[in-house]
Amino acid sequence: MRRLRNVKIVATLGPASSDYEMIKGLHEAGADVFRLNMSHGDHGEIRARHKIIREIERDLDSPIAILADLQGPKLRVGVFANGEEELVEGQRFRFDLEAREGSSARVCLPHPEIFKALEDGTSLLVNDGKIRLRVEECGADFANCVVTTGGIISNRKGVNVPDVVLPLAALSDKDRKDLEFVCELGVDWVALSFVQRAADVEEAKALIRGRAAVLSKIEKPTAVSHFEEILAVSDGIMVARGDLGVELPVQNVPPIQKRLVRRCRAAAKPVIVATQMLESMIESPMPTRAEVSDVATAIYEGADAIMLSAESAAGSYPVEAVTTMNNVAIEVESDPTYRDIIEASRVAKRESVADGIVAAAREIAETTDIKAICCFTQSGTTALLTARERPRVPIIAMTSLRETARRLALSWGTHCIMTGELERFKQAVVNAARAAQDAGYAGAADQIVVTAGVPFNVPGTTNILRVAPCDQRLIFASDPE
């Protein structure tokens, strides 16, 4: 399904988007990737949504990526005798490991690993940062705090500890079960929550064993501090601004977003900007102007994808939310300023033959009348390198592997087309010319750039570039066997 934009759209599925017609409507409106949130829905519900997505993919002959988002370890307080209590600024309050019900003076925090990491002066945030406390005294099973920002604390509210690296594995027991379930089910991407260090990603990859690509969610200050190491071992990144905005001052998030997007682009790894992009559309058919500007900013920065969460999972207007994102993307990418910004922020990287080939393909396409860049890829690497260049012409990724086509649905500007296994370069050129015409990117009188690796079907061998006519008669008349 041809898109009139380069940035991809990720839509989260949920109660508002769980049947065939709605999910198909979301895909036709512009959703390229569907997110299955493992924090909500049991395995039966996840399996049913996965099955519907694959049916739509088959019916529309359109590769669709499925992203399974693991919950990660959730740190929560216990319960209160009265259900809730009000904490006021300056008040003393205690967290401990005692299982009894809480009061206005204390509550159970059933996570001994937190107490091991705490120090005097450490901040504790409760209920998405609405309540803030400072540790004044702590031990192996308690933390005496003073309230610095008051509010209502109630049963099982979440706790954030932004100042320290917690001795917690990124994968809980639930995550391990969910991980094996979704890998057996056949998802394309797995998103890891609560990533703090590269070792968290490596642990997950060892369990996944190549069955899915790994996307690291950057939602903690420690992940920002260790970002280069995390990026090096990840297949992609999600900038999860919601939790980042809880654990860091909110004014820090926009520059962090910009830096992370640029680093991902330079590394040729897909990056999603997520959280609260069109939040008001959960209840309204129209977004706010500020939300539209937020979406546009991520597109101007060159993000590979922008994501809807509750807007498409539980909102009243899921199709309208996707349509809005699609329309904003088309408008932004048609703005001459968009091209200026994208090209000014391009990072030149020339470390391999493949780097040189894709850079040359982009330069040729931009200096002559080329309609598309067609790249043959097995692992997807050539397409990702081509996308890193952010060319002005469409990228057609040709692959014989369905798994590769699906994973590339998350990558900027790539239109994935299935092709049979090839043995001769001439046949590759013919297939590329035919695909460019069938998809509406070029006519018989036009030219395309074709990149491939010889010998075929060997990952990492991109070593040839050809400017080719779309007229197949000219290809057979001029190309050697």
Side-chain angles (χ1 to χ4, degrees), residues 3 11 20 25 39 80 95 97 110-111 122 164 166 180 185 262 276 287 298 310 312 320 350 356 359 377 433:
R3 305 296 192 196
Y20 180 96
S39 298
F80 291 83
F95 295 97
L97 292 177
H111 301 285
T122 300
V164 297
L166 294 176
E180 185 58 30
L185 196 59
R262 287 204 177 187
Q276 298 176 331
S312 58
E320 290 84 351
R350 307 290 184 268
T377 182

Side-chain angles (χ1 to χ4, degrees), residues 135-453:
V135 176
E136 292 198 324
E137 182 186 7
C138 57
D141 58 358
F142 77 95
N144 292 329
C145 307
V146 62
V147 178
T148 57
T149 302
I152 301 296
I153 184 171
S154 56
N155 295 341
R156 300 186 179 89
K157 286 300 182 185
V159 178
N160 294 81
V161 191
D163 300 339
V164 297
V165 176
L166 294 176
L168 287 171
L171 297 174
S172 65
D173 290 340
K174 170 180 164 40
D175 292 328
R176 290 172 179 273
K177 294 175 183 175
D178 289 344
L179 180 60
E180 185 58 30
F181 168 71
V182 297
C183 286
E184 287 295 316
L185 196 59
V187 301
D188 308 295
W189 289 86
V190 172
L192 303 181
S193 301
F194 206 78
V195 172
Q196 297 187 92
R197 56 185 82 79
D200 297 333
V201 185
E202 292 170 331
E203 178 187 0
K205 294 186 86 167
L207 295 172
I208 292 170
R209 302 192 305 276
R211 291 174 290 176
V214 176
L215 192 89
S216 295
K217 294 168 66 175
I218 307 301
E219 51 191 343
K220 292 189 66 63
T222 49
V224 176
S225 300
H226 297 97
F227 182 70
E228 291 300 326
E229 298 95 327
I230 292 170
L231 177 62
V233 296
S234 303
D235 300 306
I237 295 292
M238 180 189 296
V239 185
R241 305 174 306 170
D243 281 295
L244 270 180
V246 171
E247 299 211 2
L248 288 167
V250 291
Q251 66 269 19
N252 291 14
V253 176
I256 288 173
Q257 172 181 316
K258 190 175 292 291
R259 291 201 305 272
L260 300 192
V261 169
R262 287 204 177 187
R263 288 300 305 127
C264 291
R265 284 181 56 190
K269 295 187 177 182
V271 55
I272 303 172
V273 175
T275 320
Q276 298 176 331
M277 301 211 80
L278 295 175
E279 187 86 354
S280 68
M281 291 193 75
I282 295 172
E283 298 177 349
S284 169
M286 290 293 293
T288 67
R289 276 60 171 174
E291 288 169 340
V292 171
S293 293
D294 181 41
V295 172
T297 296
I299 299 169
Y300 277 115
E301 288 170 353
D304 288 83
I306 45 183
M307 192 176 96
L308 295 167
S309 297
E311 302 96 326
S312 58
S316 300
Y317 304 96
V319 173
E320 290 84 351
V322 173
T323 300
T324 296
M325 269 195 166
N326 183 71
N327 291 342
V328 172
I330 291 171
E331 189 66 26
V332 167
E333 292 183 9
S334 66
D335 175 17
T337 306
Y338 169 75
R339 264 290 133 200
D340 294 341
I341 294 171
I342 290 296
E343 291 174 9
S345 58
R346 180 186 293 131
V347 176
K349 197 162 186 178
R350 307 290 184 268
E351 296 178 354
S352 67
V353 172
D355 289 334
I357 290 286
V358 298
R362 192 255 312 156
E363 291 175 1
I364 290 170
E366 292 178 357
T367 55
T368 57
D369 189 19
I370 298 295
K371 299 301 181 184
I373 297 173
C374 295
C375 55
F376 286 82
T377 182
Q378 287 296 97
S379 65
T381 301
T382 304
L384 292 174
L385 293 176
T386 305
R388 180 180 66 192
E389 294 291 318
R390 299 296 192 260
R392 297 189 180 197
V393 300
I395 303 166
I396 302 175
M398 310 279 293
T399 182
S400 61
L401 300 178
R402 176 69 64 176
E403 293 79 8
T404 297
R406 288 168 175 165
R407 291 182 189 181
L408 288 173
L410 185 60
S411 180
W412 185 97
T414 53
H415 177 81
C416 300
I417 294 178
M418 297 298 301
T419 184
E421 290 193 4
L422 303 169
E423 295 182 356
R424 295 184 302 160
F425 183 63
K426 177 184 284 190
Q427 190 58 48
V429 175
V430 170
N431 283 9
R434 185 181 299 128
Q437 293 180 79
D438 290 346
Y441 291 108
D446 294 320
Q447 290 184 312
I448 58 173
V449 169
V450 181
T451 64

